[in-house]
Amino acid sequence: MAKEKKQVEAITSMEEDFAQWYTDIVKKAELVEYSGIKGCIILRPAGYAVWERIQKELDERFKATGVENVYMPMFIPESLLNKEKDHVEGFAPEVAWVTHGGGEKLQERMCVRPTSETLFCDFYSRIIESHRDLPKVYNQWCSVVRWEKTTRPFLRSMEFLWQEGHTAHATAEEAEKRTIQMLNLYADFCEEVLAIPMIRGQKTEKEKFAGAKDTYTIEALMHDGKALQSGTSHNFGDGFARAFGIQYTDKENTLQYVHQTSWGMSTRLIGAVIMVHGDNNGLVLPPKVAPTEVVIIPIRQQAEGVLETARAVCEKLGGCRVKVDDSDRSPGWKFAEHEMRGVPVRIEIGPKDIEAGQAQVARRDTGEKMTIALDALETEIPKLLETIQKDMLERARTHRDAHTYTATTKEELLEIAANRPGFIKAMWCGERACEEKLKEEAGITSRCMPFGQEAVAETCICCGKPAKKLVYWGKAY
Amino acid sequence: MAKEKKQVEAITSMEEDFAQWYTDIVKKAELVEYSGIKGCIILRPAGYAVWERIQKELDERFKATGVENVYMPMFIPESLLNKEKDHVEGFAPEVAWVTHGGGEKLQERMCVRPTSETLFCDFYSRIIESHRDLPKVYNQWCSVVRWEKTTRPFLRSMEFLWQEGHTAHATAEEAEKRTIQMLNLYADFCEEVLAIPMIRGQKTEKEKFAGAKDTYTIEALMHDGKALQSGTSHNFGDGFARAFGIQYTDKENTLQYVHQTSWGMSTRLIGAVIMVHGDNNGLVLPPKVAPTEVVIIPIRQQAEGVLETARAVCEKLGGCRVKVDDSDRSPGWKFAEHEMRGVPVRIEIGPKDIEAGQAQVARRDTGEKMTIALDALETEIPKLLETIQKDMLERARTHRDAHTYTATTKEELLEIAANRPGFIKAMWCGERACEEKLKEEAGITSRCMPFGQEAVAETCICCGKPAKKLVYWGKAY
C-alpha cells in the first residue's frame, strides 16, 4: 500500500487550498494537459470521455424534444458580427481575428466564433420564408473561442467545447416556452446525470446575455461555497430578427418577424462535477457520467483462476460500463489510480474470495466496503450504482442547502458574505445601482431571480426601497 | 402527382451535366446551404445527420481497436508549425492566420489547424517518458481549415469536419501495422456501411502526405468515372519524433524515438455517397448510413384507421430508423421529397391496403415496388434493408469494375484517358518524371499502387524502362 499512500499525498487537500486541490485533480486524474498555447487546454482521454458521456445524454434529451443538429462555419465576417448592436458590444472585445488566409491579406477580417447567433441569424434569414418553415430548432456541437485574460481548466479557457442551440419561432409565446423548456431540460440533466442540484431562475438586466431580451440560468453551489453558472437559455424576442431581417409570411399572408432563442452548456460542467463531488483522494464521478462505472481489480492475478473469474464477472456485468484492470501494476497502485480517476465502484477478486464465492466491493463516494457473493454481483452492482447516483445528488443537495443563507438586513448580508461561503437569499428593488453596490461592498453578484419566488422581507436589502424580487446572491467562478 | 413531377424536373440529369446534378442534389436534398463566408458551407440537418451516422459507426470501430478520443486546441503557433520542414512546406501556403486577439496584436501569430500533427507531437513530447506510456492511440473529431481557391460542397471546402487519428509506438513494425490496420478499417467501413468498394494501396512519393514516410490510401470510383481519394493513413517513421524530440526509455533504459502514424476521413465521404449512389431523382442512401431507413406515408390520412395503422406499423419497426410522414402535404409531394432525400424504403398505407391487410413497399435504389402483408412487415423490412445494402455495394462494384481498364501501351492509355472515364491500370517505372508526363499528356494522376500487385506488362507505360509497380491511374476530384 506504500504506492497508494504516496499518490494520495500528492494532492493538496481541499481544506488547505481549494484552488490548488482543483488543479491537482485535473492534472493527476489526467483530465487535461496544458498545451503550448496560452489559455488552451488539451482534453485527455479521461477528460474527453466524460464530455462524450455528457454529449450522448444531452443529445438524446435534445432530440426527444425535436432538436436537429447542424454545423455552421467557425468564422464570422466582421460586418456580420456588427449587425446587432448589443451583441457586438458584448463580444467584440474578446474575439480572435483572422486577417490572412492562403498567403494573402483578407479584404474583410473574420473572427473565430465566440458564439454563433449571427451565423444562425444569417442562415435563418435565407431559409425561412413561410410559417410552414417554422419552428426551426437547431443545435450544434462545436468549440468556441473567447480571449480570456485569466484561465482555468474547464472553468474559463480561451477555447472550449460546448453545444449551442438556436431556434426560430412564429410567436413570442412559443419562443418563451422553448427558452424555459431548455432551461428545465438542462437542470433535469444536471440533477439526474451529474447529480448536481440546480437553482433555476432568471438573470437580472445587468447579468443577461449580450443581445437577449431575457436570460435564464441554472446555478450550482461548489464545495467551497462558490456559485457556478452551469447553463443559460436566452429569449431574444424579435431583436435579432429585426437586425437580420428574418421574416416569414403567416397564414394570412402577412410578413412577420420570427422570435428567437439560444441556449448553451459547455465543458464547464466537468469543472462543476469536480468541485461538487471530488474529495481528497481525487475525482468522484456519478455513475451516469462515468466512462467506467465499475473497475475489477484482480488480487494475486497470477494465481490460478483469478483472471478468469475477474473476466467472467466483467462479462456478466456487461450492462454496465465495466473493465478489468489486468495491467502489471500492484493492486495498491491500481486502487489509488482508479480512486483518483473517480470510478464509482471497485470490485476486488482474489484467490481467497474465489474460494469463498464472493468479492470485495468498495464505493468511491463513501469509501464503504462490502462483501457480495459472486453470483449476486449481476443483480447487486446495478442497484448499487443507482444508489450511489441517488446518494450523490442528495449529499450535494444537503451541502447546498446547508450553505444557503437568508439575509434580511444589510449587516446580516455583509456578515454572511464575509464569513460563510454559500448562496445568500435576499430581497432586491430591481435597480442596477444596488447590484453594483453589493458587488463593491460584499464582493457578491446576483446569481439569479429564482422561479420559486417568495418574500423573505419587504424591502431591498441594499437601499431599503420596496422589494421587487427575491435574488440568490453569491461569489461565482 | 403534378408536384412530384415538378420537383423531379428541378434536378439537372447527371447525363446532361454531372457537376450541376451534384450541386442540385446537395441543395435540394437540403444537405447543405451556402454561408456568407466564401468556401464555407453550412451542414443542414439532413446532411449533418448523415455525418452523425458516419461518426457513430466509425467511432465504434475505432474504439474496438483501442482508440481513445481527445481534443486538441484549434490554434497552432507559427513556431510549432515550422518544426517539421516538409510538413510546413505542404501546409503553410493554405492556412488561415490569427494575428489579433482580445483587442491586441499577438506576439506570435497562430494558424487555425489545417491538420494537427504538430499539436499531437508537442503533446506527446510532454507526456511520453517510458515504454509503459506506449502505445498512444488517440483520435479527435473536429473541423480543420485549408484555404482553398476553388471549393465544392463536401469535396473541397475551406473548413471541413473530419477525424484525425495520431498514434505513437515503440517500434517501426508496430507503427506500420497500425497504419495498415486503420487503412483496412477505413476500407471495410466504406464497403460495409457506405456500400462503396475501395481500391486499397500506397501513394507514390509524389502524392504522399507532407512529412510522411509512407502514405496509404483508399480510392473509390464515382458514377462519372472520376476517382475520389476517400481516406488516407500515414506512417511517419520517426521523422516527426526527431523534429519534436519525442523519446521514451525502453526496457533496457535506453532513450529511443517513437514511431508515429496519422489517419483521417472527412465529410468528403458524403460527397462519395452522393456521386456513387445518387440518381436523377436525387440522393440514394445505403440503409446503414441513412438517418431515416424507412418512411411510412399514409394515403388518405384523414380516413378512419389510416394514421393509426401507420403509427402501429412504425412502432413495430422500432428496430429500424423509421418515421411516419403525417405532414399536411400530398402523398405525391411526400414521395418526391423522400426520394430526393434518399430514404431507402417507402411504405404506403391507405384505406384499401388496410382492407386487404397489406402495404405497398418501394425500394429507393431500384424503384421496385412490392406488396407485403401488414403482419409480415416486421420480419420483411429488416431483410429488405439488408438486401438493399448488399445490392448497392454490388452495383457500385460492378460499375467500378466495368470502368476499370488495363493499358499496356501508351497509345492505349491515351485513348482510354480521352474517351473512357474510369480507373486505368498500367505499369510504372517508379520515376516522378513519368507521373508528371502522364499528368501533362493524359490529365491523369497516380491514384495508388494497389496492395494486390500484379504485372500487366513488363515495362513502364510512359518511358518503356523496366516496370516496378502496377498503378491505378485516373482523373480525380
Side-chain angles (χ1 to χ4, degrees), chain A residues 313-422:
Chain A
V313 167
C314 187
E315 185 99 350
K316 271 199 189 164
L317 294 176
C320 315
R321 292 179 296 280
V322 56
K323 68 175 184 191
V324 176
D325 183 349
D326 57 4
S327 64
D328 62 358
R329 308 283 195 169
S330 71
W333 189 95
K334 291 179 190 175
F335 287 8
E337 175 73 5
H338 296 292
E339 268 182 6
M340 178 63 69
R341 288 170 178 261
V343 180
V345 169
R346 177 181 78 220
I347 301 179
E348 306 156 32
I349 299 179
K352 284 181 193 164
D353 298 307
I354 295 172
E355 215 177 287
Q358 65 191 31
Q360 308 304 322
V361 175
R363 281 174 69 156
R364 175 65 185 92
D365 62 329
T366 58
E368 189 192 339
K369 284 170 193 167
M370 56 204 99
T371 301
I372 298 182
L374 285 175
D375 56 14
L377 289 171
E378 195 176 349
T379 54
E380 292 307 313
I381 295 297
K383 276 193 248 168
L384 180 61
L385 290 168
E386 268 179 49
T387 304
I388 293 173
Q389 184 80 31
K390 206 168 117 280
D391 288 357
M392 288 180 74
L393 174 62
E394 275 323 301
R395 266 198 307 280
R397 197 189 300 279
T398 303
H399 175 270
R400 183 199 60 192
D401 292 350
H403 295 81
T404 300
Y405 308 96
T406 301
T408 52
T409 68
K410 198 165 173 190
E411 294 63 46
E412 211 180 348
L413 180 137
L414 290 173
E415 184 276 319
I416 298 169
N419 304 314
R420 289 182 277 167

Side-chain angles (χ1 to χ4, degrees), chain A residues 450-461:
Chain A
F451 285 164
Q453 281 284 316
E454 48 180 317
V456 300
E458 307 222 320
T459 54
C460 174
I461 191 96

Side-chain angles (χ1 to χ4, degrees), chain A residues 208-244:
Chain A
K208 75 180 193 186
F209 182 82
K213 184 167 85 63
D214 295 308
T215 288
Y216 300 94
T217 180
I218 51 174
E219 302 277 329
L221 197 70
M222 304 298 102
H223 202 87
D224 63 347
K226 279 200 197 165
L228 188 79
Q229 175 180 307
S230 306
T232 48
S233 186
H234 315 291
N235 184 343
F236 290 126
D238 61 7
F240 275 92
R242 287 176 186 274
F244 286 82

